[in-house]
Amino acid sequence: MIDFVARANRLPSIVAGGLDEAAATDFVHALDACPVSEANVPSAVPAPSQRRFDTENLQLACRRGRGLLAALPPRSQREGAVKQAGHVITHLMADASWRFFRLYAAALYRELTDDGTLSPRVDALLEAAAARLPGVLPTEAELVAERELMQQDKDGLEIAQGLFVSQVCADSQCGHHLLRSMLRPLPGSLERLAEFSRDGRIDLGTVKLEVEGQTAYVYLHNQRYLNSEDDTTVLPLEMAFDLVLLHPEVRMGVLRGSVVDHPKYAGRRVFCSGINLTRIYQGKQSYLSFLFRNMSMHTKLYRGLLPVEVPNGLSMPNVEPEETLEKLWVAVVESFAIGGGCQLLLVVDYVIAEEGSYFSLPARKEGILPGAANMRLPRFVGERLAREAIMFDKTFPANSPEGRMIANQVVPAAEIDQAVKDCVAKAVGSGMVSVGGNRKAIRVQTEPMETYRRYIATYAYEQAFCHLSEQLIANLERHWNAKARTL
């Protein structure tokens, strides 16, 4: 979250870090010139002239703030007053940006979407917004340059992205519109649908798909990293879900891990080892990938796909039934489902696990939010156990009483293939006429779109700070031995 810095402490804290006093004074004065930096949201949207004035002042403040940060040593080398100066500058810029977005994010969103007639994904939205607010939101070129830095040396360009998306989602109309936009099929999915329908299989690199009868099998195939989720898997996995949902002959999907070649698990299937922590530590994991996972990839499993022919507008009634294309999903857990792997179990319809496997959400040791598990896990195991899992590292063995609240079936490893066949035969043989309708009806009580929108507004804000926190680095070094690992 944004740390409050009292007005009287701003300049002294920055100058104490050895920065030029004149440049520091200019930065503080630029912040003072931002009327929204100390204002709550007004009852009426400011006039266009006021918005231009506020925009120019915020851009000036951010340019000056970035200039001051650039004059400091790399973040990992700052200590004492120098470290505090960098922290103060970062949070002052975040505070000014946050208050600006509270006033103008919804209006900007309406402009960028042509009043809701366009449905950009969140990455395209942020790129377009950055073109309108250079110096405040990072451009793709700036993000590419920053990606060359280790995570511990980043000063937080992506924080502004989280603040903007949070405020878009905090607005009911804009938030619902953006979340529906993220349920559209990827363009690449539409381009490869004919190939998948014809061949019954497709290789997406870190994800592989095969069709058997009326069932599509989706295999996580990030073998070197124990089928972890990262920037190399999120979009292929989302495309796989699109293709399964769009395939006219497929009636259900089965999600399973591939056999891995890791020395410790060689020859065994592993469901998912969670997010690739080495990529985070080395600065290669983008903040956007967290949004893709939770606003689109996981959500398409849970809510289905919004076909391109279904309209999406700002005035769409949010209380109407969701018009998504949905199919039944089964997850097959072998070895373990850690972090993001466990989160996948919370959005499928049925879980088969082998004896000896386990589920965990080691968010505390990673220093990040475990996706939407904060909202979803309590529905399975209750809030008390969910808090223990997320904040005190509780692991759920699959065949424990708590694990059976997540897994529908727990079978010996030698019987898991047969269990999958039996599950598929039972599901397909039932006709499945009402799968989509039943899923929608269940969500009315468990997770209506409005609840999901409000969660994402919080998630986008908090994850932006967690992703770039100093504690994240300390946690990865302490619990993951991150300094010694290579990609």
Side-chain angles (χ1 to χ4, degrees):
M1 61 178 291
I2 299 172
D3 288 348
F4 174 75
V5 182
R7 185 180 294 274
N9 296 334
R10 295 176 179 179
L11 185 59
S13 297
I14 297 170
V15 173
L19 290 166
D20 179 75
E21 184 170 359
T25 301
D26 287 343
F27 171 58
V28 172
H29 285 169
L31 289 173
D32 291 339
C34 295
V36 297
S37 67
E38 296 294 341
N40 290 320
V41 177
S43 57
V45 176
S49 59
Q50 182 66 47
R51 177 177 166 184
R52 286 193 297 271
F53 179 76
D54 290 346
T55 299
E56 292 169 359
N57 285 327
L58 178 62
Q59 290 176 305
L60 178 61
C62 289
R63 283 197 299 270
R64 289 176 174 174
R66 288 192 191 184
L68 289 170
L69 289 173
L72 292 173
R75 190 161 69 109
S76 63
Q77 299 175 25
R78 300 171 195 165
E79 296 181 353
V82 176
K83 178 179 175 180
Q84 179 63 14
H87 182 85
V88 165
I89 295 165
T90 298
H91 282 260
L92 286 174
M93 288 194 297
D95 181 66
S97 299
W98 170 244
R99 294 176 184 274
F100 177 88
F101 293 145
R102 287 176 70 187
L103 287 171
Y104 299 117
L108 180 57
Y109 184 84
R110 290 174 179 276
E111 293 165 10
L112 296 175
T113 62
D114 193 16
D115 209 28
T117 59
L118 304 176
S119 293
R121 285 174 61 86
V122 68
D123 51 336
L125 172 69
L126 284 167
E127 186 175 358
R132 297 281 293 274
L133 294 172
V136 178
L137 286 163
T139 64
E140 179 59 27
E142 290 171 331
L143 292 171
V144 168
E146 191 184 50
R147 211 164 291 145
E148 296 301 312
L149 301 175
M150 297 288 283
Q151 194 73 5
Q152 62 187 348
D153 285 329
K154 296 182 181 182
D155 273 310
L157 287 179
E158 293 168 306
I159 287 175
Q161 293 184 315
L163 299 179
F164 177 70
V165 173
S166 175
Q167 278 303 309
V168 169
C169 288
D171 180 90
S172 181
Q173 282 192 324
C174 296
H176 280 281
H177 184 272
L178 176 58
L179 295 175
R180 286 194 298 267
S181 298
M182 293 300 287
L183 293 179
R184 297 288 199 191
L186 291 165
S189 303
L190 298 173
E191 293 168 4
R192 304 198 68 175
L193 178 59
E195 172 193 351
F196 181 52
S197 300
R198 181 189 68 241
D199 299 340
R201 64 180 64 240
I202 200 163
D203 187 341
L204 301 176
T206 53
V207 179
K208 298 182 185 299
L209 290 84
E210 296 179 2
V211 175
E212 294 182 17
Q214 295 178 303
T215 303
Y217 292 81
V218 178
Y219 295 101
L220 293 167
H221 197 68
N222 196 9
Q223 295 173 294
R224 181 182 174 191
Y225 300 108
L226 294 174
N227 294 331
S228 66
E229 283 186 272
D230 55 42
D231 276 10
T232 71
T233 68
V234 169
L235 289 179
L237 198 51
E238 182 183 346
M239 184 178 291
F241 298 158
D242 283 351
L243 291 170
V244 173
L245 290 165
L246 290 167
H247 193 299
E249 304 301 323
V250 166
R251 304 184 72 182
M252 68 180 292
V254 174
L255 181 60
R256 195 173 186 182
S258 293
V259 175
V260 301
D261 52 12
H262 189 282
K264 187 176 179 180
Y265 297 92
R268 292 178 55 187
R269 287 188 185 274
V270 168
F271 184 68
C272 179
S273 60
I275 197 163
N276 189 326
L277 300 176
T278 303
R279 284 183 64 89
I280 293 181
Y281 185 78
Q282 296 194 10
K284 306 304 182 186
Q285 188 75 16
S286 68
Y287 169 73
L288 264 177
S289 71
F290 291 103
L291 299 185
F292 288 152
R293 287 170 73 250
N294 291 284
M295 297 174 72
S296 194
M297 188 259 281
H298 285 188
T299 311
K300 285 178 176 178
L301 276 181
Y302 187 64
R303 312 196 87 90
L305 197 71
L306 189 67
V308 292
E309 61 270 18
V310 174
N312 179 28
L314 286 168
S315 60
M316 296 290 291
N318 297 325
V319 295
E320 287 189 355
E322 297 173 29
E323 298 182 82
T324 45
L325 171 63
E326 308 191 37
K327 293 178 181 177
L328 196 69
W329 286 97
V330 175
V332 184
V333 179
E334 288 145 304
S335 301
F336 44 71
I338 300 172
C342 184
Q343 293 167 38
L344 285 167
L345 307 185
L346 307 180
V347 292
V348 298
D349 302 288
Y350 198 86
V351 175
I352 301 171
E354 71 171 353
E355 289 183 352
S357 64
Y358 64 89
F359 324 128
S360 67
L361 289 164
R364 183 187 66 82
K365 291 194 291 188
E366 297 168 355
I368 55 179
L369 273 66
N374 306 67
M375 173 175 57
R376 292 170 178 155
L377 185 61
R379 300 202 295 259
F380 290 81
V381 302
E383 184 174 339
R384 183 61 61 198
L385 285 176
R387 286 176 180 269
E388 188 176 352
I390 293 168
M391 293 182 276
F392 294 93
D393 305 327
K394 181 176 178 60
T395 294
F396 300 109
N399 53 1
S400 68
E402 297 90 348
R404 291 303 300 266
M405 295 176 183
I406 299 172
N408 300 84
Q409 261 185 285
V410 181
V411 300
E415 299 176 15
I416 200 162
D417 286 338
Q418 187 60 48
V420 173
K421 291 179 182 178
D422 292 344
C423 177
V424 168
K426 184 176 181 180
V428 174
S430 70
M432 299 195 300
V433 175
S434 58
V435 166
N438 278 316
R439 292 174 108 245
K440 292 177 174 65
I442 289 172
R443 287 199 304 270
V444 170
Q445 189 273 328
T446 57
E447 191 181 308
M449 194 67 142
E450 174 65 7
T451 299
Y452 169 61
R453 176 191 68 81
R454 292 173 63 188
Y455 183 88
I456 290 296
T458 298
Y459 176 82
Y461 176 101
E462 297 292 350
Q463 191 76 318
F465 289 97
C466 291
H467 178 54
L468 291 153
S469 72
E470 184 178 292
Q471 189 59 53
L472 169 67
I473 303 303
N475 287 348
L476 295 181
E477 291 179 350
R478 180 182 304 114
H479 301 295
W480 182 244
N481 192 25
K483 282 185 176 181
R485 296 180 184 267
T486 57
L487 287 172

